[in-house]
Amino acid sequence: MMREVTTTIQRRLAGRGRHVAVELNDRFARQLALTHPGVDVARADARDLVPLLAARGLGAADVVVSGLPWAAFAPRDQRDVLRAVISVLPPHGVFTTFAYVHARWTGPARRLMRSLRSQFDEVVVGRTVWDNVPPALVYHCRRPVRLTEGDMP
């Protein structure tokens, strides 16, 4: 799936901007780099977005697109990755991620939604993509809210 997302991002960028793809799995990262030579593929943990971008001379990312399995994450992991995302987004930044419809009502998925709503000025839930297996929906999160350590869910 990461390849399809990367292909779509590359098509939409159309040569504008810089695309840094973060992948934790070595094999997936190598495959992604082979199939998308124009993408800067980083074999890294998403929690390390700040130093990863800094090492590339980038202080921020206008857009972060995530295909992470948020509903499978423990609360601490969700919080840590979301903090990293918020840390690299400028005030006009956008974060886009997805969730599977069947898992939307689980505790971790509801926790993610609460976190998104508390950390972004606007969270729009896109339409259900029934052609995806399993069906999925997209969260479009705009304008990150800078919270203090104690305010983070």
Side-chain angles (χ1 to χ4, degrees):
M1 170 149 110
M2 184 64 160
R3 283 187 289 178
E4 291 84 8
V5 171
T6 303
T7 299
T8 300
I9 292 169
Q10 284 297 100
R11 188 175 61 248
R12 292 188 107 181
L13 279 174
R16 301 178 315 266
R18 183 162 176 193
H19 183 178
V20 178
V22 179
E23 174 56 59
L24 185 58
N25 181 289
D26 267 334
R27 188 176 61 119
F28 291 164
R30 280 193 308 274
Q31 185 64 33
L32 199 55
L34 285 172
T35 57
H36 293 88
V39 176
D40 179 356
V41 179
R43 215 290 286 138
D45 189 309
R47 285 176 269 238
D48 298 325
L49 282 174
V50 173
L52 186 144
L53 292 181
R56 287 161 167 75
L58 303 171
D62 292 324
V63 177
V64 174
V65 178
S66 172
L68 292 171
W70 295 97
F73 284 8
R76 177 187 223 162
D77 295 329
Q78 272 191 6
R79 184 189 64 236
D80 291 349
V81 173
L82 218 41
R83 280 182 180 162
V85 168
I86 297 284
S87 296
V88 301
L89 287 173
H92 65 275
V94 176
F95 174 56
T96 301
T97 191
F98 72 92
Y100 295 117
V101 172
H102 72 275
R104 189 172 180 200
W105 309 112
T106 66
R110 289 194 328 250
R111 181 176 57 249
L112 174 64
M113 181 55 92
R114 281 192 306 272
S115 294
L116 293 175
R117 287 200 169 126
S118 73
Q119 295 177 52
F120 288 89
D121 186 45
E122 178 183 26
V123 177
V124 176
V125 180
R127 64 177 179 77
T128 299
V129 180
W130 294 106
D131 290 344
N132 195 72
V133 179
L137 46 89
V138 178
Y139 298 129
H140 305 279
C141 310
R142 297 179 182 96
R143 295 179 305 281
V145 176
R146 301 290 181 226
L147 301 174
T148 62
E149 185 76 19
D151 293 335
M152 287 277 201

